[in-house]
Amino acid sequence: MPTYHRGEIAVQERAGLARQAEFSLGGIGESIPSVARDFLAQQPWIVLGGADRDGLVWATQLTGGAGFLGVPDPRTVTVGALPLPGDPLAEVLTAGPAVPTGMIAIEPATRRRMRINGRARREGTGLRVDIDQVIANCPKYLQKRNHRWAGPDEAGAADRTVTAGTGLSPAQQRKVRAADTFFVATASDRGDADASHRGGNPGFVQVLSPTLLRWPDYVGNAMFLTLGNLLLNASAGILVPDWETGDTLHLSGTARTVWDAEDIATAPGAQRLVEFSVQAVREITAASPLRWTSPGYSRFNPPVG
């Protein structure tokens, strides 16, 4: 039976939303319903989160054609792709035993999404994920986009480069400031992984320095799965996709929730703030063959101060 762990409960109580969280618990299951199976079968990509061999938490993505995501039974999801060399989670997801993995499937064109947490292990040329949690999410703060596959004259695998660092370059800082969407991976103190979405109008993520980011935590479903994990385990990873080029920016570090009322008041719509300290950076060009249209911004996005 689904339950919250002690970190999630502590954040729910501090936010004064324990009753709403109890109601939202009905959105957490342990198997894939048939309607969700059909949804997954239509998706060309999925975001994954987990820890590498050094314990750093990262978020990444995988893509594929029709049937790329499968549900052979209600407690199992298959992913028809593996991370390529240079991907921060390639080593743990292509060799060795099953590892805790959080996933989120999003269809920007319809603003539908779902989260799946479990244990992933390599199976042939893809992954098999044994499910622990299936989480229904609301469509707030998700920008509408349509996708296409890159043409032969666009950047492909041959153009793929990987660069690493310990802080954001000026160009990477500009990418983060311009982002309307990113994905955040966290893990509990037991190592159970989760991947979630954050969205807002461009500028909702502040770059305070090359190694410090801040973003608002807006009104949500009161589950606090991400903030609950961070209370017990500060390690986190961020994926910032470039929707136009297929490039990806991966960050790993630590994060904390800011509850100070004066700080929160500086960000319109914020209920809390999250500060992320960057420890490692991985930027991959031509990481995805998907190209996306310009966004239709969510009507729920608060203005940016």
Side-chain angles (χ1 to χ4, degrees):
M1 181 176 178
T3 59
Y4 294 118
H5 64 57
R6 61 186 178 89
E8 295 158 347
I9 292 171
V11 176
Q12 292 160 7
E13 291 177 344
R14 178 160 187 178
L17 295 171
R19 181 170 296 181
Q20 182 181 339
E22 184 177 351
F23 173 80
S24 295
L25 190 59
I28 302 178
E30 297 176 328
S31 60
I32 303 285
S34 58
V35 65
R37 177 193 61 203
D38 296 339
F39 166 75
L40 289 173
Q42 299 168 7
Q43 304 314 308
W45 71 311
I46 194 164
V47 171
L48 302 89
D52 67 13
R53 298 225 183 269
D54 296 323
L56 294 177
V57 173
W58 298 90
T60 192
Q61 63 176 347
L62 294 174
T63 62
F68 151 72
L69 299 177
V71 184
D73 64 71
R75 297 297 302 271
T76 306
V77 170
T78 57
V79 183
L82 292 169
L84 295 174
D87 186 288
L89 292 179
E91 185 179 1
V92 295
L93 289 176
T94 58
V99 293
T101 305
M103 303 190 298
I104 181 166
I106 285 187
E107 187 174 65
T110 62
R111 296 192 168 107
R112 297 172 65 195
R113 59 184 176 175
M114 65 180 296
R115 286 153 78 176
I116 304 164
N117 298 333
R119 314 271 162 172
R121 67 180 185 278
R122 181 171 182 170
E123 189 172 80
T125 57
L127 299 173
R128 180 184 180 90
V129 185
D130 297 321
I131 294 170
D132 295 326
Q133 289 183 318
V134 178
I135 304 152
N137 279 154
C138 72
K140 283 184 177 179
Y141 321 120
L142 181 57
Q143 324 319 330
K144 182 174 285 190
R145 287 178 163 93
N146 293 302
H147 76 272
R148 65 177 177 83
W149 295 93
D153 59 335
E154 296 177 276
D159 303 295
R160 190 170 181 271
T161 62
V162 181
T163 57
T166 56
L168 293 166
S169 70
Q172 291 167 343
Q173 292 177 50
R174 290 193 292 272
K175 286 186 178 183
V176 173
R177 289 191 180 99
D180 59 54
T181 300
F182 70 90
F183 299 89
V184 55
T186 59
S188 72
D189 55 339
R190 299 184 307 176
D192 297 323
D194 178 74
S196 186
H197 159 272
R198 293 293 183 271
N201 289 333
F204 85 108
V205 183
Q206 293 179 279
V207 180
L208 304 181
S209 80
T211 58
L212 186 62
L213 309 181
R214 177 189 279 181
W215 64 83
D217 189 59
Y218 296 138
V219 172
N221 56 23
M223 291 181 181
F224 295 112
L225 306 186
T226 297
L227 301 192
N229 279 348
L230 291 177
L231 185 65
L232 304 181
N233 176 6
S235 298
I238 290 175
L239 168 67
V240 182
D242 188 315
W243 304 96
E244 295 182 2
T245 66
D247 298 350
T248 51
L249 180 61
H250 309 257
L251 312 177
S252 186
T254 59
R256 70 181 188 96
T257 304
V258 177
W259 297 89
D260 181 79
E262 291 187 7
D263 288 336
I264 294 168
T266 65
Q271 307 297 298
R272 292 148 295 275
L273 301 172
V274 178
E275 287 190 349
F276 180 87
S277 297
V278 178
Q279 295 178 339
V281 178
R282 192 84 55 92
E283 185 168 18
I284 305 176
T285 62
S288 169
L290 295 174
R291 302 293 182 269
W292 301 81
T293 58
S294 298
Y297 294 113
S298 170
R299 63 185 178 88
F300 295 102
N301 290 350
V304 173

